[in-house]
Amino acid sequence: MKVTLNWLKQYVDFNGSPEDLADRLTMLGPEVEEIRKLAGDFEGVVVAQVITRDRHPNADKLSVCRVHDGQGERQIVCGAQNFQAGDKIPLVLPGATLPGPPGEKPFTIKVGKIRGVESHGMMCSGRELGLSEDHAGLYLLPPDAVIGQPLAEHLGRVAGDVLYDLEITPNRPDLNSVIGIAREVAAQSGGQIRLPQVTLPAAAPGLPRAADLVEVRIDAPDLCPRYTARVICGVKVGPSPAWLKSALEKVGLRSINNVVDVTNYVMLETGQPLHAFDYRLIARNAAGKPTIVVRRAQPGEAFTTLDGQSHQLAPDTLLIADEEKGIALAGVMGGLNSEINDRTEDVLIESAYFAPTGIRRTSKTLGLRTDASYRFERGADPGNTDWASQRCVQLLLETGGGQLADGVVDAYPEPIPTRRITLRHHQVNALLGIVLEPAQVEYYLSQLGLRIVGRKATPVDANLAPEPVTVQIPTFRVDLKRETDLIEEVARLYGVDKIPATPPRGAIGSHPFDAVFDQHAEVRRLLVGLGLHEAQGQTLVSEAAARPFSPNLVPLQKPLSSDMNVLRPSLLPGLLDSLRHNLNRKNERVALFEIGRVFLPGQTQPAESLRLAIALTGPRQPEFWAGDDREARFDAYDLKGLLEEFLEKLGLRGVAWVRSQEVSSVFLESASLALGGKVPLGQFGQLLPALARQYDLRDPVLLAELDLNQLLVRRTATRTFKPLPAFPSIRRDLAMIVGETVTHDAVLETIRSAKPQYLERIDLFDVFRGKTVPAGHKSVAYAFTYRHAERTLTDAEVNATHERVAGQLVANLPAQVRG
Amino acid sequence: MSSLLNDIEPLKQAALADLKAASDLGALEQAKGTWVGPHGKLTALMKQLGSLSKEERPAAGKAINAVKADLESALAQRRAELELKAAQPQHPVDFTLPGRRRTLGKLHPLTQVTDDIVRSFRKLGFAVADGPEIEDDYHCFDALNTPADHPARDTQDTFYLQPAGSADPLLLRTHTSSVQIRVMEKQPPPIRIVVPGRVYRRDNADATHNPTFHQIEGLYVDRDVTVGDLKGTVEFVFKDLLGSDVRIRFRPHYFSYTEPSFEIDFSSPLTRKMGKDWLEIAGCGMVHPQVFETVGYDPETWTGWAFGFGIERIAMIRYGINDIRLFYENDLRFLSQF
């Protein structure tokens, strides 16, 4: 809502600075989003006196003048002929901007040379100043004009105005009007609101009555509780007077003609949208009387609004019609067939109260939002319908003349009852945490136009005023519905800033998620320590990107675009997007993780679950300037090592890594992780090269995705101390040649089944394929660590065990021990 | 006779010069042999002691032993020098060269800001709570007193899921306030929770909008909770979060689920750097009695407040980030800055 300071000042006295008013409004609720100084009329134009006038050396029709501007003398080149030395004239100083003639751009005066002679400003004609149409010569000022005085002051014009742009919350439709805002200012400052005096011409004998000229029939009282009509005959449609034009243009509305401008002006002033019909274009009923019918649209009915757009109307659309046709989309926009035009003479003014839901529905369905629909759908004031109509008619008579038909046709079949709310004074203090005297509370309410209409006879407490009190709510305050709303009003006028802040107190909160939140933080900390950066992806992804990760998706009903039309079934497509983004920007080594929710269709409704995903691509090591392995890229063992370290530190042991056999739409090779071989935890592997290419990824891409809730449920978070070994260990290495298909797991299983005594751990330290190893085989080397907890082992004991294990391996894998 | 005594000093000088001249450990060992080894010249001199007279012998013996000690000490010193010299690498370390970096990952800035906010609330006894992102109209709107025709419920502003069969329409929550309802449905008062989480608005992505973003919200329900309590807590949290020189102000505002409702502005060196005295940062208010009635709390017994704000917005203000999309691109050059 835009409003100017000068407009506000018509209704309320305010003495502070414009900034002070902005602060007060903001602290009352309507936040001032912008405050802009409007240039005053004739800024940079002063009264000056011509001292000398000489011929221009290079041009016959120009003269070179010395002019006194109150500060000093300037040289001005001028083409006018109607003046002489001693005359007082309006002088535009360099840097000032003139509005320019209508239809042309404003122009700024600069110091410049005219035919070789410098000119430091410009003396103007009436037309150049917009004061008259005269362009024949300078606009000569009277001899008593004061040299150096701003022209605006000389002419008695108001100085610059201030424009406020206010954010009006949807609960306060009454503030979408200048009077509404003035009312707030008055309430806060303790002043009184000054409404314009509306007096209409008395009925004259021989003049028709409105009721004779028009009939109003409301067929849909649920959508239109009240409709008023007034008629003015013989209106002269034409341009608006300057004050009206300027008032509208300052707040960003275009001037159209005096009739339309007045309806807009009164809407801005009172918050009540109005519409003017060309009275003669309204069809007559059987009795020969033009009739307004307020009805729902008929099935299939079409209507052309005054912007020329044709609309197919839904059956619930409220139409203003006559007996033959629709003439306006109620509360939204008028019709092309009845709008004010050059030939309009008689005007019918509509002022009505339409139900918010109906207007909202129509505006939404047709995609048509207007200043009127905006106000109606938030709630107009049913108590103000007729006064706004009177105000409109008053201004129309002033600006367009004509004769007002006596009276009004006011169809208001079921008056809307006024609301009453009960207020307990003690509750005000209890909620706000302050101590206010009841008299003070009631004063604040009265400042807002809320009246105390009832009071319980006996006080609850000897120290308190009798309560509760009953408060009558004016019709314009559609937001006040119960006690707490009144308490808010008290808080606003008392000043939210003045409520003292009390230290936090009481009650320790609890929620099952509280501990989980910390576990998530722990997971993040581990992964960050492992060198991964945390990512946060979009939860909305494209179906095409999601499809390889899940055949079942959760689609949006009305997506913003096909790039974001399903909820992510996996964190991986988002991470792949992030890899691409980084690679495209030459961040070649990317190691990311994300913790987030994924969404999959469920039995009754989609299920959300929490996952952890990791993505690696690019060089294994950060860049370094030496070393044989500096070209190495991340591979599956990097990711596995990372996962092993992470899972172990998190407290998960006994994870089985089982190669996935089925063909995957995501992975070239992959394994599933399962706890104790049974509880699935997730999977990891290398991305299919074809899919990698789609994401512009050239190096191998390693991905893992785990079920985070499962990890947290299954982890052993508690730690128990194990005494450090007191006796030394003995190490024996064993290198052997085995077939390619023999897995590390198979080796471990064979060793385990031999049940070797005192074996503490086994570490694989070499895998080798090459000349000395037969084709189809590999050499593997393990370090066996033996230890006894209570004594030092002897070589003989260890050798015996070790040879037995080696023998089992040779026999069962089979293997051949290397020398 | 006296020739032996006279020989001692020149021999010592020659030996010291020889040791000093040795340019590597091998040469030093050789010099050692020449002078103090079993066949060395000093050893030879010692063997001649027996040929001296009884009177001369002690002084000469003492002098030779002194020379021997000097030579051994000189030898040890020279050996240490040569050993150090031998240990010097062929290519000395250029300490200005870059080292082998071990990368440490970083937490996402949104995580860092969320953690900081949660830490502040927890100091006051708040517990972290969460709830589903897929919601129904009831928990996201109806129970929060949002009128049936409120613009926020529009398919223009809210993402609805494609209806699957008979069930009620589902949507992606537009605020974390839906968790208030879920928690109050389950737990009796008093309540003290803080809820971080992802929310959705049907906005096209630009520098200040993303269809998903994060909010955090606090809810406190107890007996005799006042606007004063709300202000006290808000001030504590923001000072904890943004510095003790931050100033806070409340302005009346409108939210359907609180009454009175306020917007919170803050002012600090950060806002002044952005050229603004006051910057809007959060919304809050006293829980609407209608909301309490809906979840079955008696509004005559219980009052409470809620406040919430956007995590991205706080992060953007704190770090001076100018484009919200940066949070979701996961560009390492961005992530590694925080």
Side-chain angles (χ1 to χ4, degrees):
Chain A
M1 171 79 192
K2 289 191 171 75
V3 61
T4 63
L5 179 59
N6 286 339
W7 198 349
L8 273 176
K9 280 184 169 172
Q10 292 179 25
Y11 314 106
V12 62
D13 291 323
F14 182 78
N15 298 323
S17 69
E19 290 75 19
D20 185 22
L21 181 63
D23 280 349
R24 285 189 190 214
L25 283 169
T26 296
M27 295 312 291
L28 268 174
E31 186 186 359
V32 176
E33 294 189 312
E34 198 193 344
I35 165 165
R36 195 150 54 88
K37 290 221 158 44
L38 299 173
D41 289 340
F42 311 124
E43 201 163 281
V45 186
V46 298
V47 176
Q49 186 171 35
V50 181
I51 296 166
T52 59
R53 179 186 171 188
D54 296 306
R55 284 275 294 275
H56 191 291
N58 306 326
D60 287 349
K61 289 190 176 169
L62 298 179
S63 49
V64 178
C65 309
R66 299 212 64 78
V67 174
H68 199 284
D69 65 6
Q71 305 278 326
E73 284 188 17
R74 299 171 167 272
Q75 176 172 291
I76 309 285
V77 177
C78 180
Q81 304 298 333
N82 70 328
F83 71 104
Q84 54 198 10
D87 280 347
K88 290 182 177 169
I89 42 82
L91 173 70
V92 191
L93 302 174
T97 300
L98 283 182
E104 287 176 33
K105 284 192 175 160
F107 59 98
T108 301
I109 306 299
K110 293 177 190 142
V111 176
K113 281 187 178 173
I114 300 173
R115 303 294 283 279
V117 177
E118 275 199 7
S119 183
H120 292 258
M122 183 179 110
M123 303 193 282
C124 337
S125 69
R127 196 166 92 182
E128 281 159 342
L129 292 169
L131 288 170
S132 69
E133 285 304 302
D134 181 19
H135 197 45
L138 297 184
Y139 187 81
L140 296 180
L141 301 173
D144 61 353
V146 182
I147 298 170
Q149 191 180 34
L151 183 67
E153 228 171 86
H154 168 80
L155 295 170
R157 297 283 178 105
V158 203
D161 199 352
V162 175
L163 179 72
Y164 299 105
D165 193 353
L166 302 170
E167 187 206 336
I168 305 299
T169 51
N171 62 324
R172 290 296 304 272
D174 61 305
L175 295 184
N176 290 312
S177 69
V178 184
I179 287 177
I181 293 163
R183 200 183 278 125
E184 287 279 291
V185 175
Q188 198 269 346
S189 62
Q192 288 299 319
I193 179 105
R194 213 169 33 239
L195 294 180
Q197 287 295 318
V198 179
T199 39
L200 297 182
L207 267 185
R209 297 186 313 127
D212 298 333
L213 295 179
V214 64
E215 188 178 317
V216 173
R217 193 175 82 229
I218 301 179
D219 289 350
D222 56 329
L223 296 179
C224 175
R226 186 174 191 186
Y227 194 101
T228 70
R230 280 191 164 80
V231 180
I232 308 178
C233 301
V235 174
K236 191 168 175 292
V237 178
S240 290
W243 71 265
L244 179 53
K245 248 188 216 177
S246 141
L248 294 178
E249 281 166 359
K250 275 181 185 174
V251 297
L253 257 64
R254 203 160 49 89
S255 168
I256 293 167
N257 59 46
N258 52 355
V259 178
V260 175
D261 287 359
V262 163
T263 58
N264 279 333
Y265 181 84
V266 176
M267 172 180 72
L268 295 175
E269 182 183 47
T270 65
Q272 169 66 44
L274 300 145
H275 187 62
F277 294 99
D278 184 327
Y279 171 75
R280 294 196 186 167
L281 299 177
I282 301 171
R284 290 161 192 275
N285 64 7
K289 196 200 270 186
T291 302
I292 297 280
V293 182
V294 185
R295 61 166 170 85
R296 285 178 160 79
Q298 287 149 4
E301 186 165 2
F303 183 71
T304 304
T305 41
L306 53 76
D307 56 0
Q309 297 290 314
S310 174
H311 303 278
Q312 207 56 43
L313 302 183
D316 241 359
T317 310
L318 188 66
L319 260 188
I320 308 302
D322 56 23
E323 294 287 10
E324 296 168 0
K325 59 191 185 292
I327 54 174
L329 263 184
V332 180
M333 196 183 271
L336 195 58
N337 59 10
S338 59
E339 72 169 327
I340 302 298
N341 55 66
D342 294 346
R343 295 179 304 281
T344 301
E345 289 179 10
D346 304 336
V347 173
L348 181 144
I349 297 297
E350 161 198 292
S351 178
Y353 175 73
F354 299 116
T357 40
I359 301 300
R360 169 151 189 82
R361 197 165 47 225
T362 302
S363 155
K364 204 175 105 181
T365 320
L366 299 179
L368 209 54
R369 309 199 84 188
T370 60
D371 285 332
S373 72
Y374 176 84
R375 285 172 172 78
F376 279 124
E377 70 184 35
R378 278 165 173 75
D381 176 5
N384 199 37
T385 319
D386 184 50
W387 188 82
S389 163
Q390 292 181 38
R391 172 69 172 154
C392 177
V393 163
Q394 175 195 30
L395 292 178
L396 270 181
L397 292 171
E398 275 175 25
T399 58
Q403 283 197 311
L404 175 67
D406 187 41
V408 62
V409 179
D410 186 352
Y412 195 12
E414 222 174 297
I416 295 168
T418 50
R419 245 190 330 275
R420 291 181 171 194
I421 299 175
T422 302
L423 175 73
R424 296 161 300 171
H425 285 301
H426 74 269
Q427 191 62 21
V428 175
N429 292 336
L431 194 70
L432 298 181
I434 51 177
V435 180
L436 279 182
E437 291 300 321
Q440 188 66 18
V441 170
E442 289 174 18
Y443 166 74
Y444 289 141
L445 297 180
S446 70
Q447 281 297 108
L448 290 163
L450 309 178
R451 283 196 305 127
I452 309 291
V453 292
R455 188 184 297 278
K456 216 163 181 193
T458 48
V460 176
D461 179 316
N463 298 320
L464 287 175
E467 63 168 29
V469 293
T470 307
V471 183
Q472 173 138 334
I473 310 303
T475 48
F476 56 83
R477 288 305 301 269
V478 297
D479 60 314
L480 303 181
K481 289 169 185 150
R482 55 192 288 176
E483 184 181 52
T484 183
D485 298 321
L486 296 182
I487 297 176
E488 176 173 61
E489 294 306 292
V490 173
R492 290 197 311 122
L493 289 199
Y494 173 76
V496 181
D497 252 13
K498 289 199 290 186
I499 300 177
T502 44
R505 65 194 163 94
I508 299 301
S510 76
H511 193 274
F513 182 72
D514 194 57
V516 179
F517 181 81
D518 288 333
Q519 300 209 45
H520 293 175
E522 188 185 345
V523 167
R524 285 194 176 93
R525 227 168 26 239
L526 288 174
L527 294 168
V528 162
L530 288 167
L532 302 174
H533 277 85
E534 188 190 9
Q536 293 253 14
Q538 302 280 10
T539 24
L540 301 175
V541 299
S542 79
E543 185 183 343
R547 188 62 74 191
F549 296 87
S550 169
N552 304 312
L553 298 169
V554 180
L556 293 183
Q557 189 177 32
K558 210 171 152 190
L560 278 166
S561 72
S562 59
D563 283 345
M564 295 186 136
N565 55 358
V566 299
L567 281 163
R568 61 183 178 191
S570 156
L571 303 177
L572 297 178
L575 282 179
L576 288 174
D577 271 337
S578 297
L579 294 189
R580 166 162 53 194
H581 180 92
N582 277 293
L583 267 290
N584 285 345
R585 281 153 189 81
K586 304 282 178 238
N587 304 328
E588 295 197 331
R589 182 176 184 275
V590 195
L592 296 173
F593 78 94
E594 180 172 358
I595 288 177
R597 298 186 196 198
V598 300
F599 306 84
L600 291 165
Q603 287 287 325
T604 51
Q605 73 172 62
E608 298 177 27
S609 57
L610 199 63
R611 297 234 181 123
L612 156 66
I614 299 175
L616 307 176
T617 193
R620 172 181 296 157
Q621 304 292 346
E623 192 155 10
F624 193 61
W625 39 268
D628 293 338
D629 59 347
R630 58 186 145 152
E631 295 305 319
R633 309 275 121 174
F634 279 123
D635 65 20
Y637 297 113
D638 288 306
L639 182 51
K640 180 164 181 203
L642 210 148
L643 288 170
E644 286 174 319
E645 184 70 15
F646 165 69
L647 292 172
E648 200 176 299
K649 292 295 179 295
L650 193 64
L652 281 155
R653 286 170 190 278
V655 175
W657 311 75
V658 183
R659 188 183 179 87
S660 309
Q661 299 298 344
E662 63 269 32
V663 175
S664 160
S665 55
V666 176
F667 293 112
L668 176 66
E669 285 189 287
S670 67
S672 61
L673 283 70
L675 199 63
K678 292 194 293 283
V679 182
L681 298 178
Q683 56 179 348
F684 92 107
Q686 183 181 338
L687 184 66
L688 274 177
L691 204 47
R693 269 197 301 279
Q694 284 178 30
Y695 285 94
D696 308 325
L697 304 170
R698 288 174 301 276
D699 287 332
V701 178
L702 291 314
L703 300 172
E705 187 166 36
L706 306 177
D707 179 338
L708 185 55
N709 280 337
Q710 196 66 265
L711 298 185
L712 297 181
V713 168
R714 301 286 171 171
R715 69 187 286 218
T716 311
T718 49
R719 311 272 175 216
T720 328
F721 171 71
K722 239 164 67 184
L724 303 184
F727 296 92
S729 62
I730 292 182
R731 169 172 164 160
R732 290 283 181 277
D733 290 354
L734 179 67
M736 54 196 173
I737 291 172
V738 297
E740 270 297 354
T741 54
V742 174
T743 62
H744 174 64
D745 248 6
V747 174
L748 294 185
E749 193 46 46
T750 309
I751 296 171
R752 236 175 264 127
S753 64
K755 297 198 173 72
Q757 255 188 318
Y758 320 128
L759 182 63
E760 189 179 66
R761 54 182 297 152
I762 314 160
D763 297 288
L764 173 69
F765 68 87
D766 189 46
V767 178
F768 175 74
R769 296 173 180 87
K771 269 190 202 153
T772 54
V773 179
H777 289 69
K778 60 191 172 190
S779 160
V780 293
Y782 289 87
F784 291 66
T785 305
Y786 296 93
R787 193 198 303 271
H788 195 291
E790 279 136 26
R791 61 184 171 83
T792 305
L793 289 172
T794 64
D795 275 343
E797 291 177 290
V798 170
N799 290 346
T801 309
H802 192 64
E803 273 157 30
R804 191 168 55 79
V805 173
Q808 295 255 349
L809 288 168
V810 168
N812 297 341
L813 280 177
Q816 183 193 336
V817 175
R818 299 186 90 192
Chain B
M1 279 302 102
S2 56
S3 79
L4 191 147
L5 272 173
N6 292 339
D7 287 346
I8 293 177
E9 188 56 29
L11 185 140
K12 175 184 164 186
Q13 291 310 326
L16 287 177
D18 208 7
L19 292 178
K20 202 173 173 189
S23 61
D24 57 36
L25 287 167
L28 187 66
E29 285 311 306
Q30 215 165 14
K32 180 188 169 191
T34 308
W35 299 102
V36 293
H39 307 289
K41 293 183 180 169
L42 187 67
T43 318
L45 210 57
M46 280 168 105
K47 286 177 182 160
Q48 291 177 35
L49 275 178
S51 62
L52 289 185
S53 69
K54 243 186 192 166
E55 294 73 27
E56 284 173 322
R57 214 179 287 158
K62 203 173 166 190
I64 289 174
N65 276 330
V67 169
K68 191 179 178 193
D70 285 352
L71 288 186
E72 271 168 2
S73 135
L75 181 70
Q77 193 192 335
R78 185 60 185 158
R79 183 179 286 127
E81 281 171 18
L82 289 176
E83 274 172 358
L84 182 63
K85 191 180 158 200
Q88 289 300 326
Q90 202 181 353
H91 304 291
V93 170
D94 175 353
F95 289 102
T96 66
L97 277 176
R100 265 184 207 93
R101 290 290 282 259
R102 314 298 297 258
T103 46
L104 192 62
K106 295 302 281 285
L107 291 176
H108 196 281
L110 293 178
T111 301
Q112 296 187 37
V113 171
T114 305
D115 286 349
D116 290 347
I117 298 168
V118 165
R119 194 176 306 118
S120 292
F121 274 102
R122 279 180 158 178
K123 287 178 187 170
L124 305 177
F126 281 74
V128 188
D130 83 337
E133 288 174 23
I134 296 178
E135 266 297 359
D136 47 34
D137 273 317
Y138 177 78
H139 288 93
C140 198
F141 297 126
D142 295 331
L144 288 162
N145 200 28
T146 314
D149 58 347
H150 194 277
R153 312 178 69 138
D154 207 77
T155 53
Q156 280 306 318
D157 297 334
T158 301
F159 285 115
Y160 282 84
L161 301 187
Q162 250 178 39
S166 59
D168 286 341
L170 294 172
L171 53 88
L172 297 175
R173 67 177 177 199
T174 57
H175 45 202
T176 43
S177 307
S178 51
V179 182
Q180 287 182 20
I181 302 300
R182 293 202 172 264
V183 170
M184 288 194 283
E185 279 172 343
K186 279 222 176 88
Q187 291 178 211
I191 298 280
R192 200 168 253 222
I193 52 164
V194 57
V195 186
R198 204 185 267 260
V199 300
Y200 298 79
R201 302 267 168 94
R202 209 168 164 283
D203 290 322
N204 280 303
D206 62 24
T208 54
H209 295 90
N210 194 61
T212 76
F213 58 98
H214 295 77
Q215 280 188 341
I216 189 160
E217 146 153 353
L219 171 70
Y220 175 39
V221 181
D222 205 340
R223 289 172 208 274
D224 306 323
V225 177
T226 68
V227 173
D229 296 325
L230 167 58
K231 290 181 71 175
T233 305
V234 166
E235 272 179 23
F236 173 83
V237 169
F238 280 112
K239 289 195 168 172
D240 204 35
L241 197 62
L242 298 168
S244 53
D245 52 355
V246 69
R247 286 189 301 142
I248 305 285
R249 77 171 186 190
F250 284 61
R251 279 183 289 108
H253 200 71
Y254 168 68
F255 303 107
S256 63
Y257 41 99
T258 49
E259 186 78 21
S261 303
F262 312 102
E263 266 191 342
I264 303 168
D265 297 338
F266 85 107
S267 175
S268 78
L270 277 174
T271 60
R272 286 189 282 283
K273 225 167 77 184
M274 295 164 74
K276 293 197 168 167
D277 266 351
W278 292 103
L279 208 61
E280 178 187 319
I281 195 151
C284 65
M286 304 302 290
V287 179
H288 199 288
Q290 184 63 55
V291 174
F292 280 150
E293 283 162 11
T294 304
V295 298
Y297 288 9
D298 178 2
E300 289 297 310
T301 308
W302 303 103
T303 50
W305 54 250
F307 85 91
F309 42 90
I311 294 175
E312 277 83 350
R313 185 167 168 78
I314 303 263
M316 288 171 89
I317 291 169
R318 179 194 260 194
Y319 300 120
I321 297 168
N322 55 8
D323 191 328
I324 196 171
R325 289 168 292 197
L326 285 166
F327 289 116
Y328 309 103
E329 286 171 351
N330 300 312
D331 192 318
L332 291 176
R333 296 166 304 174
F334 173 78
L335 295 178
S336 56
Q337 287 184 36
F338 304 100

